[in-house]
Amino acid sequence: MKTLISKCLIALLFFSSMLAQINAQDISGAWEGKLSIQGNSIPILFNVKLEGGAYSSTMDSPSQGATGIPMDKTVFENNVLTIKFNQAGIKYVGNLKENKFEGTFFQGPTEIPLILSKTVKTLPGNTALPTSETELEKLAKADTGNYKYSVEDYFARPKARSFSFSPNGNYMSYQEKDANKKNHVYVKNTETGDITRVIEEKEELIRGFGWANDGRLIYVMDKGGNEDYHLFAVDVDGKNQKELTPYDGVKVRILNGLKEDKNHMIISMNKNNPSIFEPYKINIISGELEQLYKNEDAANPINGYQFDKDGNLRGFSKLRDGVFVDMYYTVDGKNYEIKKKLSWKDQFAIISFNYASDNKHEAYVSSNLDSDKTQLYLYDLKEDKVLKKLYSNDNYDVSGLSLSRKRNYELDYFSYEGEKSHIIPVSNYYKKLHKRITSKFPEYSYSITDVTDDESKYLIFLQSDKLYGTYYSYDAKKKTFKLLYNLMPNLNEKDMAEMRPITFKSRDGLTIHGYITLPKEAQQGKKVPVIVNPHGGPQGIRDSWGFNPEAQLFASRGYATLQVNFRISGGYGKKFLKSGFKQIGRKAMDDVEDGLQYVIDQGWVDKSKVAIYGGSHGGYAVLRGLTKTPDLYTCGVDYVGVSNLFTFMNSIPAYWKPYLKILKEIWYDPDVPAEKAIMNEVSPVFQIDKIKKPLFVVQGANDPRVNIDESDQIVSALRGKGFDVPYMVKYDEGHGFAKEENSIELYKAMMGFYAKHLKN
């Protein structure tokens, strides 16, 4: 009998053990599925880990660039997986069936079927392609010489920066860097001098911050450069910190700070549809949201909202058929009617309502509807008519003006950018202030970066082509200036190079503007190597006069820097802008080449030692330059540049998709046979047989605009032809490097690359 009982017990224990083993199945690893939302397929990845007998997990949304989001709860019992993310109201419950979880993804009241399959999580792009750190360090060491300034002198972040007053002037906020290169946000009491660290920067960078009211700050962060910005808030003493928009894969934009409503602001988010943005009123203490308007027509979405100072939605612009813009306005606050039917190429923008007028429909607008250059007007939106032309310039677009909230919204000045920035004083008050500033600092350009609500304290930022930047405070009652902070005291102005405006004619007769930064050797009559630096964008973007750390670093090594505002650049009128449409990689590149010929003809540079370097569109221009005119350049550095126009258009972020037709009007349309042929011609990846010169490629792995595949393609293709192509990839960066240590590594390697190919 005893033996029988023992055998039964052994069998029972064995059976129980088997059950425990089944329930204790290790589900560690990556589980991938796709959510179907409003016709969009959104991949979701849960990374599950088992440690100490308990599960934890993180979530990725690869299409939105969101990675490594920690989940609050991960439980696997009786073959049921439950994952929760409380802040976003997300939950997943799935049953394990034949190596798959079949279940439901919950977000708030929404329920979406989701099947998860086991997969292997990989880093973006082809991880076999990037050059090793050892090899890149070896490349950097080629930059030899007894130089007064190091790469760090130009590209280490300032010890402190981004100063601003609280609205009442009782506090000043700023970022300050610690020994680990983390840039925390501090608040200083302007009366007592007491300093408090209110925001700690950890793994993710603080991408921007500012005052929401006298006692609370807001700030934004993303994940590794993916540009899905989330909004946070914190009290002036560092307490009550809260993530206000904890939504995975959602990008926030600030529309209106609502100075008249201390506890709210207006934001927009692509929360309901990744492709379009809708406005919300958000409580900056609790995070409570109120949706203010619905953007329901995804085919013809609203792409701009106009709120007044009290938070009323006065109007909006709506994209129609991908290339037209209808401007809606409300007279009664309820019904919105079309006031303007525009092409996307037209400029008609409300800068501010004229709160000083008894007519609530008066507004300051910038427009080029009746002119080539953008001009400033006082406009009646109800009657749809110009009341008065305020300011214009024959040669440049004018789009800036400033109003004084304290002085009943008096108009203070107009501004525009020509060869340099210009301020045109209007009010008697500002004429006096402008005269004081320019008399005190005649050699510098200035901007007012902040002013208290009572206009008793101003923050003035000074810069020139040789001065990185200094902050001065101005006491309006005492009429005195005080040096607050020199951002880069280690860079002596006397050692810096001149950035000289240039103007020349293109081969087809257009007037083209730009800048040449010349090292001391060139000013002494020696022909020097030159780095041609086409800007990004390209549409509507331009290079500007001022301190350029890249150009100054290059000059310190004896290289000139050429920056050309080629056709399609902004600020020179709509005719000049439109002359570059369908000319990217063609006439736009001709302008760059003509600029190079101009500086060669001046006797400044050595035509046998010409590098080309740029980022984004500038990176594309590098690749295009090496294929279009392969004998013109000695070498090139492509930084997050497009290599294949077809894959570029197919991999744009979701929130760019409503503008795809516009993108095709600016670049090229692959559905038009003649333009498809041009795309093949100007896509460098299809022309690599023409590349003869050395190339260095740089990429942020999480780039949402120029996918890493753009760089992988060109590197892989060239290496397949036997080229030695150094390739730097940073897996914690996006569209351009934002982390100090990564930037310094980049420029050290770049200087080594130039030394290797321009100095031999």
Side-chain angles (χ1 to χ4, degrees):
M1 186 71 177
K2 255 184 174 184
T3 303
L4 181 60
I5 292 172
S6 296
K7 288 181 178 179
C8 288
L9 280 171
I10 291 169
L12 184 61
L13 287 169
F14 177 77
F15 182 68
S16 299
S17 174
M18 288 297 294
L19 276 177
Q21 287 178 31
I22 291 171
N23 273 315
Q25 178 179 349
D26 186 358
I27 59 164
S28 296
W31 296 84
E32 184 181 38
K34 291 184 179 179
L35 296 171
S36 179
I37 302 176
Q38 297 180 353
N40 293 304
S41 181
I42 301 176
I44 291 291
L45 193 75
F46 289 109
N47 306 290
V48 181
K49 185 186 293 185
L50 179 63
E51 287 182 335
Y55 282 105
S56 63
S57 67
T58 61
M59 182 175 70
D60 299 347
S61 180
S63 64
Q64 301 300 313
T67 59
I69 302 168
M71 300 293 98
D72 297 303
K73 179 181 179 182
T74 306
V75 176
F76 179 58
E77 291 179 345
N78 300 319
N79 280 355
V80 176
L81 174 65
T82 304
I83 296 175
K84 287 186 178 181
F85 181 31
N86 296 330
Q87 279 188 317
I90 287 174
K91 181 173 74 170
Y92 176 72
V93 179
N95 287 284
L96 184 61
K97 296 181 179 179
E98 296 181 357
N99 296 320
K100 290 185 179 181
F101 283 104
E102 297 179 4
T104 304
F105 183 90
F106 302 84
Q107 183 159 20
T110 305
E111 300 182 14
I112 306 168
L114 178 62
I115 296 174
L116 298 177
S117 302
K118 195 74 175 286
T119 187
V120 177
K121 184 183 177 181
T122 58
L123 291 170
N126 183 347
T127 56
L129 290 176
T131 304
S132 70
E133 289 188 10
T134 302
E135 287 300 310
L136 290 172
E137 288 172 3
K138 182 179 177 182
L139 177 63
K141 288 178 181 177
D143 180 34
T144 58
N146 186 22
Y147 303 121
K148 186 171 182 179
Y149 297 104
S150 67
V151 169
E152 286 86 350
D153 286 322
Y154 296 99
F155 288 97
R157 301 286 189 268
K159 175 65 175 172
R161 66 183 193 274
S162 303
F163 295 87
S164 64
F165 287 119
S166 60
N168 60 14
N170 292 341
Y171 300 98
M172 178 180 286
S173 62
Y174 58 94
Q175 272 188 291
E176 186 171 296
K177 183 171 63 174
D178 68 14
N180 297 315
K181 300 181 181 178
K182 297 297 182 183
N183 294 272
H184 312 298
V185 175
Y186 293 83
V187 166
K188 180 178 181 178
N189 186 308
T190 55
E191 292 296 322
T192 67
D194 293 340
I195 296 173
T196 304
R197 188 169 79 180
V198 297
I199 307 171
E200 181 183 1
E201 185 173 85
K202 297 179 181 177
E203 183 61 28
E204 298 300 338
L205 301 182
I206 298 166
R207 299 283 178 171
F209 69 96
W211 290 93
N213 56 41
D214 290 323
R216 197 155 169 81
L217 294 98
I218 56 166
Y219 61 103
V220 293
M221 295 193 301
D222 68 353
K223 292 275 187 182
N226 64 14
E227 299 185 12
D228 284 336
Y229 299 112
H230 288 208
L231 183 66
F232 301 77
V234 63
D235 285 350
V236 70
D237 59 3
K239 297 178 181 178
N240 296 321
Q241 182 164 288
K242 186 174 181 64
E243 183 176 1
L244 300 175
T245 58
Y247 310 113
D248 175 39
V250 174
K251 184 186 184 79
V252 66
R253 297 169 175 169
I254 297 172
L255 299 182
N256 194 312
L258 293 183
K259 283 188 72 70
E260 313 304 323
D261 182 347
K262 303 300 184 185
N263 293 328
H264 294 87
M265 63 194 328
I266 295 174
I267 62 172
S268 67
M269 292 187 289
N270 55 345
K271 185 171 178 285
N272 296 322
N273 185 325
S275 298
I276 58 178
F277 288 79
E278 296 173 303
Y280 297 82
K281 187 175 184 179
I282 189 166
N283 186 301
I284 60 166
I285 299 169
S286 67
E288 181 181 356
L289 284 176
E290 176 191 354
Q291 187 165 343
L292 299 177
Y293 204 79
K294 290 187 177 181
N295 195 357
E296 297 178 304
D297 186 358
N300 300 284
I302 297 170
N303 65 346
Y305 300 90
Q306 188 67 50
F307 289 88
D308 64 20
K309 66 182 179 65
D310 298 311
N312 302 307
L313 180 60
R314 301 282 295 276
F316 53 82
S317 55
K318 190 173 184 181
L319 201 61
R320 173 168 46 86
D321 297 331
V323 292
F324 299 103
V325 178
D326 295 335
M327 197 197 96
Y328 289 75
Y329 183 72
T330 179
V331 172
D332 59 9
K334 297 178 181 178
N335 302 296
Y336 295 88
E337 299 178 350
I338 296 177
K339 287 291 182 181
K340 296 282 186 189
K341 289 190 172 184
L342 310 168
S343 162
W344 71 270
K345 306 179 187 75
D346 297 325
Q347 168 79 3
F348 186 90
I350 299 170
I351 300 173
S352 172
F353 293 98
N354 183 12
Y355 300 115
S357 173
D358 292 332
N359 177 5
K360 70 176 185 178
H361 303 294
E362 271 189 32
Y364 296 102
V365 305
S366 61
S367 172
N368 64 6
L369 298 185
D370 299 316
S371 59
D372 177 58
K373 307 296 188 292
T374 299
Q375 304 177 342
L376 297 178
Y377 298 90
L378 192 62
Y379 203 88
D380 188 312
L381 294 166
K382 179 182 178 182
E383 301 298 328
D384 192 19
K385 68 178 184 180
V386 172
L387 298 176
K388 183 182 180 181
K389 185 165 91 167
L390 298 173
Y391 190 73
S392 64
N393 184 281
D394 291 339
N395 300 311
Y396 304 101
D397 292 330
V398 180
S399 57
L401 60 80
S402 179
L403 307 173
S404 168
R405 179 171 172 265
K406 177 181 182 290
R407 288 175 274 112
N408 191 33
Y409 297 94
E410 183 178 22
L411 177 58
D412 271 343
Y413 64 81
F414 307 117
S415 61
Y416 72 93
E417 186 175 7
E419 288 184 342
K420 299 179 181 180
S421 295
H422 296 270
I423 292 174
I424 313 300
V426 177
S427 70
N428 288 330
Y429 176 92
Y430 199 82
K431 285 177 181 177
K432 294 176 183 177
L433 179 58
H434 178 74
K435 186 175 181 180
R436 288 192 193 103
I437 297 171
T438 53
S439 297
K440 177 73 173 176
F441 307 107
E443 297 178 5
Y444 304 105
S445 291
Y446 83 88
S447 59
I448 293 177
T449 59
D450 201 12
V451 58
T452 56
D453 284 351
D454 65 0
E455 296 186 352
S456 65
K457 300 175 183 176
Y458 288 80
L459 273 180
I460 299 168
F461 184 69
L462 302 177
Q463 194 183 61
S464 74
D465 56 342
K466 298 181 180 182
L467 176 68
Y468 191 101
T470 57
Y471 283 94
Y472 278 79
S473 60
Y474 174 70
D475 188 316
K477 294 177 181 177
K478 298 177 181 177
K479 297 180 174 54
T480 56
F481 296 91
K482 181 181 178 181
L483 176 62
L484 178 66
Y485 201 80
N486 184 345
L487 292 177
M488 282 292 182
N490 56 306
L491 296 177
N492 190 325
E493 288 180 68
K494 294 179 181 179
D495 295 328
M496 298 299 112
E498 174 193 4
M499 176 185 267
R500 186 178 300 175
I502 58 172
T503 302
F504 59 91
K505 288 287 185 180
S506 70
R507 65 190 69 178
D508 58 352
L510 280 184
T511 299
I512 308 290
H513 301 275
Y515 302 92
I516 182 78
T517 301
L518 295 170
K520 60 184 179 181
E521 295 90 341
Q523 295 181 25
Q524 294 166 356
K526 180 182 177 182
K527 292 183 180 181
V528 299
V530 61
I531 297 169
V532 180
N533 182 209
H535 64 67
Q539 68 278 6
I541 306 298
R542 59 161 288 175
D543 284 314
S544 302
W545 184 86
F547 191 91
N548 185 315
E550 288 183 338
Q552 293 296 339
L553 171 64
F554 300 162
S556 74
R557 270 50 176 176
Y559 312 130
T561 301
L562 172 65
Q563 296 168 287
V564 175
N565 284 326
F566 44 84
R567 68 190 73 201
I568 209 173
S569 299
Y572 300 98
K574 62 184 176 185
K575 182 179 178 181
F576 186 80
L577 180 77
K578 291 163 67 175
S579 69
F581 294 170
K582 309 288 188 185
Q583 293 299 331
I584 296 170
R586 299 197 293 165
K587 288 186 178 181
M589 284 301 299
D590 291 348
D591 294 342
V592 174
E593 294 158 20
D594 293 346
L596 175 59
Q597 188 60 52
Y598 173 81
V599 297
I600 290 171
D601 292 342
Q602 304 310 303
W604 295 329
V605 304
D606 183 345
K607 66 179 181 180
S608 68
K609 293 184 177 181
V610 180
I612 182 168
Y613 154 67
S616 194
H617 163 267
Y620 162 77
V622 170
L623 301 175
R624 178 60 181 145
L626 294 178
T627 54
K628 180 175 182 288
T629 51
D631 295 318
L632 188 59
Y633 301 106
T634 308
C635 61
V637 179
D638 160 25
Y639 186 18
V640 296
V642 174
S643 67
N644 181 333
L645 269 59
F646 297 96
T647 55
F648 166 62
M649 288 187 175
N650 289 333
S651 62
I652 59 174
Y655 48 86
W656 278 18
K657 288 183 180 176
Y659 308 103
L660 184 57
K661 283 188 178 180
I662 294 175
L663 193 65
K664 289 177 179 180
E665 285 204 4
I666 294 169
W667 290 67
Y668 304 98
D669 188 344
D671 297 324
V672 176
E675 293 187 24
K676 183 178 180 181
I678 294 171
M679 289 175 70
N680 275 296
E681 176 193 342
V682 301
S683 289
V685 75
F686 302 127
Q687 308 293 329
I688 61 164
D689 286 346
K690 297 176 182 176
I691 294 180
K692 303 177 180 179
K693 304 299 174 60
L695 175 67
F696 176 26
V697 179
V698 184
Q699 180 69 43
N702 303 318
D703 192 336
R705 306 186 198 187
V706 178
N707 190 279
I708 190 173
D709 182 55
E710 293 298 312
S711 292
D712 280 1
Q713 287 182 72
I714 203 75
V715 172
S716 181
L718 284 172
R719 286 184 181 168
K721 289 176 58 61
F723 273 72
D724 175 20
V725 184
Y727 185 25
M728 176 181 284
V729 176
K730 293 297 180 184
Y731 290 94
D732 54 352
E733 296 282 10
H735 195 60
F737 293 177
K739 294 186 175 180
E740 179 180 323
E741 57 272 25
N742 292 337
S743 292
I744 289 171
E745 281 186 43
L746 164 61
Y747 289 105
K748 283 184 174 180
M750 192 188 299
M751 289 302 97
F753 182 79
Y754 290 147
K756 187 176 177 181
H757 299 293
L758 290 179
K759 288 192 174 180
N760 294 332

